[in-house]
């Protein structure tokens, strides 16, 4: 798969989706704990809006803690940028070459796809990410990535019910491939997305 094209398509589709949201939906919670839709959109577009020197400066202000920096900027930018500006920041940068510090271009796709699902799953919009994009990220799920994202999948086997993919050993935890991908990225899901004895462990409360 051409990952650059997949990233551009993901950003284009997400910008169109965000453009259609009602004002109340922008203030709705997402799967990212403590972030509303507007904070997630601000975070997604930060790499497009900030130069490298500005990013370094913000990291220094946060004491070198990249998660603290990301949270601080997402909250402040969400408070100052309009929803139209946030949408434009994504739509106008579908071909932007930004990549996370670790993981390269595949991680860039993961960043966009997972944060898009953080929004659409929480809002109950029923968006289905194209299978080829989900597959390329599933292929990169390893114990190392689980640790990086703080995902605890001890004692469970993730088993997709919409394509041929499984991961881990233990009690079967069944759901769509994109929902299981969210678990691998450390998310919890709304009720009704998973089946299996261990499903309660992964339900957002």
């Amino acid at each position: 798969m051409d990952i650059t094209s997949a990233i551009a398509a993901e950003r284009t589709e997400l910008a169109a989706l965000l453009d259609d949201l009602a004002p109340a939906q922008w203030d709705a919670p997402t799967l990212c704990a403590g972030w509303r839709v507007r904070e997630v959109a601000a975070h997604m577009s930060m790499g497009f809006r900030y130069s490298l020197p500005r990013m370094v400066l913000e990291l220094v202000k946060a004491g070198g803690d990249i998660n603290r920096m990301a949270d601080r900027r997402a909250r402040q930018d969400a408070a100052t940028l309009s929803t139209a500006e946030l949408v434009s920041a994504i739509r106008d940068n579908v071909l932007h070459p930004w990549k996370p510090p670790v993981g390269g271009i595949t991680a860039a796709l993961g960043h966009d796809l997972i944060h898009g699902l953080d929004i659409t799953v929480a809002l109950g919009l029923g968006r289905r990410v194209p299978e080829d994009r989900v597959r390329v990220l599933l292929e990169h799920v390893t114990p190392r990535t689980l640790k990086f994202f703080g995902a605890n999948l001890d004692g469970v086997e993730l088993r997709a019910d919409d394509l041929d993919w499984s991961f881990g050993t233990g009690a079967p935890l069944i759901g769509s491939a994109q929902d299981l991908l969210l678990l691998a990225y450390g998310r919890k899901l709304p009720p009704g997305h998973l089946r299996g004895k261990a499903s309660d462990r992964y339900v957002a409360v």
Side-chain angles (χ1 to χ4, degrees):
M1 185 181 65
D2 181 349
I3 296 181
T4 298
S5 297
I7 290 171
E10 189 67 20
R11 291 174 185 169
T12 299
E13 293 164 18
L14 182 61
L17 183 149
L18 291 172
D19 213 18
D20 287 339
L21 293 185
Q25 290 176 302
W26 278 93
D27 290 320
T30 68
L31 301 186
C32 285
W35 283 4
R36 301 166 297 171
V37 171
R38 63 179 67 244
E39 277 83 25
V40 175
H43 172 70
M44 291 184 68
S45 61
M46 184 175 68
F48 315 146
R49 296 182 286 105
Y50 285 25
S51 66
L52 181 57
R54 172 71 185 282
M55 198 76 78
V56 171
L57 176 61
E58 294 296 335
L59 188 58
V60 170
K61 289 179 180 178
D65 187 325
I66 193 169
N67 292 322
R68 184 185 303 164
M69 182 269 283
D71 184 67
R72 178 172 174 270
R73 288 314 327 161
R75 293 178 188 279
Q76 292 187 2
D77 292 349
T80 57
L81 296 173
S82 69
T83 57
E85 288 172 321
L86 291 172
V87 172
S88 292
I90 296 172
R91 179 183 290 123
D92 296 344
N93 289 284
V94 296
L95 295 175
H96 196 286
W98 175 87
K99 296 185 288 292
V102 178
I105 192 169
T106 301
L109 174 62
H111 184 267
D112 293 338
L113 192 155
I114 294 298
H115 282 310
L117 288 172
D118 284 334
I119 293 171
T120 58
V121 172
L123 292 179
L125 299 181
R127 181 187 180 229
R128 302 293 295 182
V129 177
E131 182 179 311
D132 57 348
R133 299 178 206 166
V134 174
R135 278 189 179 276
V136 74
L137 297 180
L138 290 173
E139 290 170 1
H140 285 78
V141 173
T142 66
R144 183 179 179 182
T145 58
L146 299 182
K147 182 177 180 181
F148 182 84
F149 291 108
N152 179 5
L153 300 179
D154 293 346
V156 300
E157 177 197 12
L158 302 183
R159 188 181 298 174
D161 61 9
D162 55 351
L163 55 84
D164 184 17
W165 181 84
S166 63
F167 179 88
T169 57
L173 188 61
I174 302 166
S176 70
Q178 68 181 38
D179 283 343
L180 299 182
L181 185 62
L182 283 167
L183 299 188
Y185 276 72
R187 273 43 173 193
K188 293 189 175 182
L189 302 177
H193 281 250
L194 303 169
R195 305 190 307 279
K197 292 181 179 179
S199 61
D200 289 349
R201 285 171 51 188
Y202 304 99
V203 173
V205 295

